Amino acid sequence: MQYYRKYLTYIEIDVIIDISAYTEEQVEILQRVMKNKFKQYILISSASIYTEITESPAKEDDPTVENPAWSDYAKNKYLAEIRTIENSRLYNFKY
């Protein structure tokens, strides 16, 4: 985490669009290091976290779960989303 702090200390931005986060630890590191330096965080997730897709594309408020059909990939993406929701309240950003 110190590595990221060193390079991101003086950066302030409006939006983070995270296209590479795969685990909750990865979103946690970026969100914690950038705390109070951004207003919105967009996590590019995966359709694998949705339990039942009735329409295409899936909607943000469709039910999500650690979908066992996709093994660890869906579980990790789901947990990254949950961590982002929790951190949005803790660090005061939109997601």
Side-chain angles (χ1 to χ4, degrees), residues 4 7-8 18 20-21 41 48 51 60 71 78 81-82 85 88:
Y4 295 107
Y7 293 103
L8 299 174
D18 194 341
S20 63
Y41 183 89
S48 68
T51 55
E60 295 255 342
S71 70
Y78 173 77
E81 285 208 10
I82 296 302
I85 293 167
S88 72

Side-chain angles (χ1 to χ4, degrees), residues 21-79:
Y22 173 65
T23 66
E24 64 182 312
E25 292 82 14
Q26 291 169 340
V27 296
E28 175 68 30
I29 289 168
L30 182 57
Q31 292 166 1
R32 187 183 312 168
V33 168
M34 293 298 291
K35 180 181 168 187
N36 298 321
K37 297 178 181 184
F38 67 99
K39 297 175 183 133
Q40 184 173 7
Y41 183 89
I42 298 171
L43 174 62
I44 304 302
S45 189
S46 170
S48 68
I49 67 164
Y50 294 100
T51 55
E52 296 177 23
I53 299 175
T54 57
E55 295 179 30
S56 182
K59 296 182 186 79
E60 295 255 342
D61 58 351
D62 286 345
T64 60
V65 70
E66 296 178 30
N67 193 336
W70 287 80
S71 70
D72 286 345
Y73 178 79
K75 175 183 177 181
N76 288 330
K77 287 299 225 178
Y78 173 77
L79 293 174

